Amino acid sequence: MDDADLAFVLTQVSAAIGVTQRIISSDKIHPHVRAEQERSLVDLESARAELIRAPGP
């Protein structure tokens, strides 16, 4: 993956983290949905950390 692709994917993952955080912060979602979103957030944050550590081309 070249630097441009890496930057694009990192931007998309970061955006997904932001959306997921907003969903979690809503008081209108069912607790089951909140739990699923919290698990997704952990996965997304892990993916972002991996992308940040990824070596360049």
Side-chain angles (χ1 to χ4, degrees):
M1 185 179 315
D2 67 14
D3 287 343
D5 290 337
L6 182 62
F8 175 77
V9 173
L10 185 56
T11 299
Q12 296 302 306
V13 170
S14 295
I17 287 171
V19 169
T20 304
Q21 288 171 330
R22 284 192 295 280
I23 291 168
I24 290 169
S25 69
S26 173
D27 59 350
K28 297 179 181 184
I29 63 171
H30 190 276
H32 176 74
V33 173
R34 183 182 315 280
E36 288 180 8
Q37 291 299 311
E38 287 171 348
R39 286 190 296 275
S40 293
L41 182 59
V42 170
D43 291 341
L44 287 166
E45 289 173 338
S46 176
R48 180 173 60 182
E50 289 286 327
L51 289 167
I52 290 170
R53 288 193 300 267

